[in-house]
């Protein structure tokens, strides 16, 4: 077999074995489908000093999912799960909106700042509760967070009095519709959290400690790692990310509906994490993969109506695409594809060439 052919096959095999290959391929395929359906899909224009276009909308609308997925990545890396992030988002949105509405100066910037601070403080408290149940009491993460997932919507309903609360505050609305340096504020918040988290977990020992707790909590404890503190920290961080996402969602609609705000966002976040290559069994994780997974979910959400698929089939189509991507990432599928790649239409297989 010629050396150039062998080198090309080796490069292709390595590329396909990378955990981001298939998510990026799927993302590229979705973008091509959108371009075919809408020839102006890639057009980006500057209007009133702000960037506008379908690609900008995808990044902005995907910001809440990305935020929740960042926190979910660290939780899953510790061999946990957080099903309560949607409820936390609803509570955060409810606390902020109700405070703004009841404030004498409901349109003031200071009112929005206080409301946002209160909502984030409540989110931290909810994260402490989840961390306490998991790290201290020892309840299984799926059960511990299911408690808040069920009760959280009720808490949000109590905060809003069971009503859809509408706010009129420009500073609060800027979380979703505002722009800074021509870019959407929501996207900048999400990307800022992503960059800060990536720096902390890869430039300090925190990332290694999180992975060690996820791989073997008992061995980590015997080695002197404070696994309870690590677990508590990631649940607090996940709740803080979820609360921020809830504020962006509420700011986007200028209102909060406790029944629908952040509904099923935990599933989108988990899918984004898994698509990005982080194992649900804990251990090694990839924030970059989570970013790609979140953008894939956001692009898919935009693609479904763009190609004329009925809204009733939204979740079915999304599940189908996600299953395909996850199957292509599986070790078995990779092995099959690699074996097929080792053969050429006109040449012998690698085994035959060696023989």
């Amino acid at each position: 077999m010629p050396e150039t052919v062998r080198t090309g096959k080796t490069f292709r095999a390595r590329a396909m074995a990378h955990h981001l290959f298939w998510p990026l391929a799927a993302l590229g395929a979705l973008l091509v489908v959108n371009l075919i359906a809408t020839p102006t899909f890639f057009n980006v224009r500057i209007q009133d000093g702000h960037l506008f276009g379908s690609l900008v909308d995808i990044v902005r609308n995907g910001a809440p999912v990305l935020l929740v997925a960042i926190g979910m990545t660290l939780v899953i890396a510790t061999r946990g799960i957080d099903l309560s992030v949607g409820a936390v988002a609803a509570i955060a949105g409810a606390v902020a909106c109700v405070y703004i509405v009841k404030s004498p100066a409901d349109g003031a910037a200071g009112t929005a700042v206080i409301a946002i601070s209160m909502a984030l403080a409540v989110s931290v408290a909810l994260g402490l509760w989840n961390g306490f149940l998991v790290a201290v009491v020892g309840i299984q993460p799926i059960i511990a967070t299911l408690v808040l997932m069920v009760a959280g919507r009720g808490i949000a309903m109590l905060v809003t009095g069971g009503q859809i609360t509408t706010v009129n505050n420009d500073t609060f609305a800027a979380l979703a519709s505002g722009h800074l340096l021509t870019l959407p504020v929501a996207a900048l918040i999400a990307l800022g959290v992503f960059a800060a988290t990536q720096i902390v977990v890869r430039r300090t020992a925190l990332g290694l400690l999180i992975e060690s707790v996820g791989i073997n909590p008992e061995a980590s404890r015997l080695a002197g790692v404070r696994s309870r503190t690590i677990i508590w920290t990631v649940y607090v961080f996940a709740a803080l990310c979820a609360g921020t996402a809830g504020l962006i969602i509420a700011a986007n609609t200028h209102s909060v509906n406790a029944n629908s705000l952040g509904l099923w966002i935990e599933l989108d976040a988990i899918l984004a994490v898994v698509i990005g290559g982080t194992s649900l069994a804990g251990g090694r994780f990839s924030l970059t993969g989570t970013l790609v997974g979140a953008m894939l979910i956001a692009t898919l959400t935009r693609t479904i109506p763009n190609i004329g698929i009925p809204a009733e089939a939204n979740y079915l189509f999304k599940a189908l695409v996600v299953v395909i991507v996850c199957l292509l990432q599986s070790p078995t599928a990779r092995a099959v594809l690699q074996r097929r790649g080792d053969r050429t239409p006109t040449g012998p297989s690698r085994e035959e060439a060696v023989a």
Side-chain angles (χ1 to χ4, degrees), residues 19 25 49 60 79 103 105 114 147 206 272 280 288 290 302 310 340:
H19 71 279
R60 182 185 62 201
R79 204 183 292 186
S103 175
I114 296 175
V147 171
L206 180 59
L280 289 175
T288 303
T290 296
R302 180 62 178 264
R340 290 186 177 182

Side-chain angles (χ1 to χ4, degrees), residues 17-39:
H18 196 278
H19 71 279
L20 290 181
F21 177 83
W22 291 112
L24 287 173
L27 180 59
L30 288 176
L31 292 175
V32 171
V33 168
N34 280 283
L35 182 62
I36 295 173
T38 307

Side-chain angles (χ1 to χ4, degrees), residues 61-113:
N61 295 334
V65 174
L66 175 58
L67 280 168
V68 177
I70 291 170
M72 189 72 73
T73 300
L74 301 187
V75 170
I76 290 177
T78 62
R79 204 183 292 186
I81 198 76
D82 191 347
L83 300 179
S84 68
V85 288
V88 173
I91 294 172
V95 169
C97 289
V98 168
Y99 178 83
I100 292 174
V101 168
K102 291 185 176 181
S103 175
D106 58 342
T111 301
V113 172

Side-chain angles (χ1 to χ4, degrees), residues 84 88 91 95 117-133 148 155 232 235-240 243:
S84 68
V88 173
I91 294 172
V95 169
S117 301
M118 289 178 58
L120 295 180
V122 170
S123 299
V124 169
L126 295 173
L128 287 170
W129 169 253
N130 282 336
F132 172 76
L133 293 181
L148 185 56
I155 295 173
W232 219 329
Y235 278 96
V236 170
F237 179 68
L240 186 61

Side-chain angles (χ1 to χ4, degrees), residues 240-326:
L240 186 61
C241 289
T244 305
L247 292 174
I248 292 175
I249 296 172
N252 188 46
T253 59
H254 298 269
S255 64
V256 58
N257 184 344
N259 285 323
S260 62
L261 194 153
L263 188 64
W264 308 126
I265 196 172
E266 60 272 7
L267 300 184
D268 281 346
I270 294 172
L271 289 175
V273 174
V274 174
I275 289 173
T278 299
S279 172
L280 289 175
R284 295 185 64 85
F285 61 93
S286 172
L287 284 175
T288 303
T290 296
L291 172 62
V292 175
M295 290 301 101
L296 176 61
I297 295 294
T299 305
L300 180 59
T301 302
R302 180 62 178 264
T303 304
I304 292 173
N306 197 31
I307 61 178
I309 295 179
E312 293 78 7
N314 189 330
Y315 290 105
L316 177 61
F317 187 79
K318 182 183 292 186
L320 179 62
V321 173
V322 169
V323 167
I324 292 174
V325 174
C326 289

Side-chain angles (χ1 to χ4, degrees), residues 140-159:
Q140 288 292 329
I142 192 171
I143 302 300
T145 57
L146 184 63
V147 171
L148 185 56
M149 177 184 179
V150 176
R153 296 284 170 184
I155 295 173
M157 290 287 288
L158 288 175
V159 173

